[in-house]
Amino acid sequence: MQAEERCPRADKLEKKRWSPQLIEIAACSWIGRLSWPCPISSGFRCAHAERPLHTRPPYSLTFSSLRGSLSKIRNIAIIAHVDHGKTTLVDGLLRQAGTFRANEAVAERVMDSNELERERGITILAKNTAVFYHGEKINIVDTPGHADFGGEVERALKMVDGVMLLVDASEGPLPQTRYVLSKALEARLPPILVINKIDRPDARAQEVLNEVYDLFIDLDATEDQLEFPVLYTNAKLGQASTDPAVPGETLQPLFQAILDTIPLGKGDPEGVLQVQVANLDYSDYLGRLAIARVYQGTLRTGDEVAISKRDGSIEKTRITKLFSFSGLKRVDIEATEIDDIVAVAGVEGITIGETITNVDNPAPLPAIVIDEPTIAMQFSVNNSPMAGREGQWVTSRNLRERLEKELLTNVSIRVEETGSPDSFKVLGRGELQLSILIEMMRREGYELMVGRPEIVTREVDGKMMEPVEHLTIDVPENFVGVVIERLGPRRGEMVKMHNHGYGRVRLEFRVPSRGLIGLRGELLTDTRGTIVMNSLFDGYMPHQGQIPQRPTGALVADRPGVTTAYALEGLEDRGVLFTPPGVEVYEGMIIGEHSRDNDLDVNVVREKKLTNMRASTADEAIRLAPPRLLNLEQAIEFIADDEMVEVTPKSLRLRKKILQSNRRPRRNAAVTA
Ligand SMILES: Nc1nc2c(ncn2[C@@H]2O[C@H](COP(=O)(O)OP(=O)(O)OP(=O)(O)O)[C@@H](O)[C@H]2O)c(=O)[nH]1
Ligand SMILES: [Mg+2]
């Protein structure tokens, strides 16, 4: 807008007989893009079109405050590396804000509500809750800490005005701490630092605090961003303190820090409607729920509104139901409060990043941009001989529909067509993210086959670039050599090595994402399960050439039948078996890992010849070593390029892509990628 033009809002206010002074202050805050002081009459240039909403300058007098209805809502996200205690801390906040009845039985980590989250003890989806403290509402978004779900964190940060950064008092800042903090600083969100787990015997709070300062500086934080409050907590017991030497009694100091540090929302309830969807949820009764932040205006049930789609088009719709958050519940509301985070029901087809706005005067917010996927996997229809026996959804149409449904809620996933109608390329942010999707599909009754994960390369200036990860490994001193040795062929380049002085060493590498596939399993074996490793996407680098894959071949069943103890016993010294006796197999199915580098076709269904003589070594007397039963992630890590994992609701089978042994090219040596 040009300076000489008059702000259109001013006319409206004049009609309402506002004093010229108030008009001057209020008019430009109508649509939240305030230039201060307001230029209408003073001749300054108006910044309406120039400043995005979330970089509004701080101003104390807003349109709503003039009307005496300053919003009392604060929105905060809780971010950290995996397992640093975010969800546990939310438990404490909920409990101490009086969310539960005195005698109410509440599960631990109550926000981790879906089945897979409870099973694995990790958060997968970002979730909202709200607590009330001293009459003020605090909306809290609990985010996942695992790098594969970074997309969830990015979106959560779009809804909030500040963050609580949790850091484990012993582990200190880890790769995901860096990632989430960099995103929060980028969005200029004020942080509160929470050093958690101070009860750990190996806690080193002061050192960790210094490491966090280093991290802020490393991430180019501005001076005001460095002035964050620090709290020392034991999330399990619900205690926070501002002094590391004096343990707290309750979380009161943390609540206080939230009120002191996190700014109140500054939207204008009378402005043009701007409600942006940052997350999606699903209810069995209401269908899709859009979790959205009200930036401006007021949304009411029954309102006719416009949805500004990602492609720029506008669709009209009517709001059927609105909810706001209160503890773990969603409460029915008639109209939204400014700056609140709400759930909107009944908006067909709405997806993340879209804005609900006025029909006559649409004012969409900039779309939410998130990082690109780095890993891809082939999902195809199950065409194994045993297909269709255990699953309910087995056709390519079923598979396509399910993947399309996933795309609606999971914006960090992409699906691409392949040459064949039976197979899709699914792209995501990591192996775990994709394996969670596969596990969910399997539980819903789907059958499918998946291939070995591959990385997504891109071409820059005619050069092939591949994704790189920043890998952090914590390992006992005596295994350092083994780790370094393993990373060599995987093109890992050591960037840092730090001996904490208590027997464990932290190693940091830059390694192509390709080099990480299968690494965890290998290192866990080599270091007898003592390794802790974390990796984080760290941009692209020129393609690093070949990286050896699994050095061993597979033991492959050469005919269909049921495995026998007699046959398996004969194979024990050939490698490690994956199948116990009594399991139905087919030709081309992998039943174990060969100890050499080539594949070996074996007969696992061979029965002992029956004789009339009473044998002293009856079948039951055979004692086999327990088979190595692979779970989904291990199976995906294990397979080579010419192999696949068959996933059904009841079984996981590994197989060769080409089942018939006489059609299959021989694998004679370690394959390279
Ligand atoms: N000793 C101790 N353990 C804690 C504390 N806070 C959390 N934990 C434990 O740390 C583990 C991880 O806690 P979560 O709350 O699931 O961690 P999270 O950050 O939500 O993990 P993700 O959501 O998967 O990233 C659990 O076993 C908690 O019991 C604490 O203050 N002290
Ligand atoms: Mg969690």
Side-chain angles (χ1 to χ4, degrees):
M1 183 176 145
Q2 299 299 313
E4 53 277 8
E5 272 174 23
R6 194 174 153 79
C7 176
R9 307 289 162 207
D11 292 328
K12 265 197 184 171
L13 294 178
E14 248 171 24
K15 278 187 205 139
K16 288 189 182 172
R17 296 179 187 279
W18 281 54
S19 74
Q21 225 181 343
L22 278 187
I23 294 173
E24 188 173 319
I25 297 166
C28 277
S29 66
W30 264 106
I31 62 166
R33 296 169 192 175
L34 185 76
S35 84
W36 192 259
C38 176
I40 303 169
S41 49
S42 58
F44 286 69
R45 188 171 151 68
C46 178
H48 264 172
E50 293 161 8
R51 235 177 228 142
L53 191 66
H54 41 270
T55 59
R56 279 174 293 176
Y59 52 95
S60 53
L61 207 52
T62 63
F63 182 70
S64 39
S65 68
L66 290 167
R67 299 166 67 247
S69 64
L70 190 69
S71 123
K72 285 277 188 205
I73 296 179
R74 286 169 218 263
N75 299 312
I76 187 165
I78 169 160
I79 55 176
H81 186 80
V82 66
D83 268 358
H84 281 192
K86 297 174 289 296
T87 312
T88 311
L89 187 64
V90 176
D91 274 0
L93 292 169
L94 282 168
R95 214 167 264 135
Q96 294 188 22
T99 310
F100 309 118
R101 289 189 318 274
N103 59 349
E104 194 170 338
V106 187
E108 232 176 67
R109 286 182 286 106
V110 63
M111 296 287 283
D112 285 347
S113 47
N114 86 34
E115 192 186 19
L116 276 176
E117 290 180 326
R118 297 216 70 81
E119 252 170 50
R120 295 177 186 232
I122 57 167
T123 306
I124 296 170
L125 302 168
K127 281 180 239 52
N128 284 75
T129 181
V131 298
F132 291 85
Y133 186 75
H134 289 326
E136 295 196 17
K137 182 173 185 181
I138 307 169
N139 278 311
I140 303 173
V141 192
D142 181 27
T143 64
H146 200 285
D148 285 21
F149 311 117
E152 294 280 322
V153 184
E154 273 180 70
R155 277 182 276 140
L157 292 181
K158 295 284 176 203
M159 282 195 273
V160 298
D161 300 314
V163 294
M164 242 188 279
L165 175 72
L166 241 72
V167 183
D168 184 306
S170 157
E171 290 181 6
L174 282 170
Q176 190 68 2
T177 318
R178 186 188 178 93
Y179 171 79
V180 292
L181 179 62
S182 71
K183 294 285 170 190
L185 293 179
E186 232 170 69
R188 306 199 56 78
L189 298 170
I192 296 176
L193 175 64
V194 178
I195 298 189
N196 187 34
K197 306 201 190 180
I198 46 163
D199 57 309
R200 277 181 69 153
D202 52 353
R204 42 184 195 102
Q206 195 54 45
E207 260 174 66
V208 167
L209 177 61
N210 289 338
E211 288 170 22
V212 175
Y213 273 118
D214 289 348
L215 182 62
F216 268 76
I217 292 164
D218 211 24
L219 292 171
D220 293 330
T222 56
E223 235 167 84
D224 56 317
Q225 284 175 325
L226 280 171
E227 283 168 20
F228 47 81
V230 184
L231 285 125
Y232 301 87
T233 59
N234 176 342
K236 256 183 156 170
L237 297 182
Q239 297 170 337
S241 159
T242 47
D243 182 349
V246 186
E249 284 174 8
T250 65
L251 290 175
Q252 200 273 338
L254 180 58
F255 278 113
Q256 197 53 49
I258 296 176
L259 299 195
D260 295 343
T261 317
I262 310 301
L264 285 165
K266 294 191 181 74
D268 170 11
E270 307 288 330
V272 179
L273 184 66
Q274 285 183 318
V275 178
Q276 189 169 39
V277 181
N279 214 340
L280 291 175
D281 199 355
Y282 187 83
S283 147
D284 286 340
Y285 305 107
L286 299 158
R288 183 183 302 190
L289 290 170
I291 314 292
R293 158 98 188 241
V294 185
Y295 285 98
Q296 245 197 173
T298 307
L299 189 60
R300 294 181 181 80
T301 43
D303 272 0
E304 182 165 63
V305 293
I307 311 290
S308 154
K309 308 291 288 178
R310 288 179 83 89
D311 61 8
S313 62
I314 298 276
E315 259 176 34
K316 278 192 205 168
T317 184
R318 201 170 283 284
I319 303 295
T320 53
K321 233 169 173 21
L322 281 173
F323 300 92
S324 85
F325 292 88
S326 173
L328 301 175
K329 299 189 196 79
R330 294 196 194 102
V331 190
D332 249 313
I333 49 171
E334 278 301 309
T336 59
E337 267 188 65
I338 190 65
D339 297 313
D340 203 0
I341 295 177
V342 295
V344 187
V347 188
E348 219 22 69
I350 195 162
T351 126
I352 288 163
E354 297 177 351
T355 312
I356 305 175
T357 179
N358 271 12
V359 178
D360 309 328
N361 186 9
L365 292 166
I368 296 177
V369 188
I370 45 169
D371 284 352
E372 293 290 309
T374 54
I375 207 156
M377 257 165 102
Q378 205 87 10
F379 281 37
S380 28
V381 171
N382 187 5
N383 62 11
S384 303
M386 293 185 208
R389 289 199 199 166
E390 293 167 355
Q392 191 182 354
W393 312 106
V394 292
T395 64
S396 68
R397 211 184 74 202
N398 295 147
L399 195 60
R400 177 187 294 275
E401 283 172 1
R402 177 63 183 82
L403 290 174
E404 278 168 4
K405 188 175 140 215
E406 188 65 24
L407 285 178
L408 294 177
T409 52
N410 199 341
V411 278
S412 53
I413 274 185
R414 306 260 157 85
V415 177
E416 285 175 9
E417 300 280 340
T418 61
S420 143
D422 287 345
S423 147
F424 304 88
K425 188 171 169 186
V426 182
L427 298 94
R429 292 269 278 252
E431 275 171 76
L432 181 66
Q433 187 193 23
L434 293 181
S435 65
I436 293 271
L437 170 63
I438 299 165
E439 184 67 40
M440 282 192 313
M441 291 174 69
R442 166 182 194 204
R443 289 178 188 209
E444 289 164 21
Y446 286 83
E447 276 193 18
L448 70 158
M449 295 194 305
V450 296
R452 177 184 160 85
E454 44 186 274
I455 48 131
V456 181
T457 52
R458 54 159 77 166
E459 217 173 284
V460 179
D461 299 333
K463 252 194 181 165
M464 174 123 89
M465 305 291 276
E466 67 171 322
V468 208
E469 312 263 336
H470 186 100
L471 172 71
T472 311
I473 292 181
D474 252 357
V475 70
E477 276 163 346
N478 50 331
F479 291 120
V480 170
V482 186
V483 172
I484 296 177
E485 199 179 299
R486 286 288 180 195
L487 274 143
R490 290 168 180 269
R491 316 268 166 184
E493 183 194 321
M494 185 151 55
V495 286
K496 211 171 175 184
M497 179 159 151
H498 182 76
N499 195 333
H500 287 317
Y502 51 86
R504 287 183 81 89
V505 176
R506 179 169 299 176
L507 302 162
E508 291 179 31
F509 295 88
R510 237 172 98 82
V511 52
S513 308
R514 252 176 332 144
L516 292 184
I517 298 173
L519 178 68
R520 185 184 301 270
E522 216 171 87
L523 287 182
L524 276 172
T525 321
D526 291 344
T527 64
R528 307 214 188 95
T530 53
I531 196 165
V532 180
M533 63 180 263
N534 289 289
S535 60
L536 185 67
F537 175 62
D538 190 27
Y540 288 82
M541 74 195 307
H543 198 269
Q544 294 293 297
Q546 293 194 330
I547 289 183
Q549 287 185 13
R550 191 181 82 214
T552 54
L555 297 173
V556 187
D558 67 353
R559 67 198 73 191
V562 174
T563 53
T564 63
Y566 174 68
L568 292 175
E569 188 190 25
L571 293 171
E572 279 199 316
D573 51 357
R574 297 300 194 126
V576 183
L577 298 174
F578 299 158
T579 28
V583 172
E584 197 175 347
V585 295
Y586 50 80
E587 180 181 358
M589 181 166 149
I590 298 171
I591 58 97
E593 179 177 4
H594 192 197
S595 49
R596 306 240 179 122
D597 60 10
N598 63 331
D599 287 344
L600 189 67
D601 288 317
V602 290
N603 178 355
V604 280
V605 302
R606 189 154 46 109
E607 304 216 22
K608 193 167 180 196
K609 285 250 161 49
L610 292 176
T611 66
N612 288 334
M613 298 288 285
R614 208 163 153 194
S616 56
T617 51
D619 224 18
E620 301 89 65
I622 296 175
R623 281 192 200 283
L624 291 170
R628 190 204 300 165
L629 299 175
L630 301 180
N631 63 25
L632 180 61
E633 273 113 83
Q634 289 164 335
I636 290 172
E637 287 216 329
F638 176 82
I639 53 173
D641 273 343
D642 60 342
E643 295 163 356
M644 299 192 98
V645 184
E646 178 190 353
V647 185
T648 76
K650 293 193 186 127
S651 332
L652 282 177
R653 300 185 192 99
L654 279 72
R655 55 165 278 186
K656 288 303 222 186
K657 266 187 188 159
I658 301 168
L659 295 179
Q660 282 162 281
S661 77
N662 55 0
R663 294 235 184 137
R664 206 182 308 141
R666 294 288 119 194
R667 178 188 149 121
N668 288 324
V671 196
T672 51

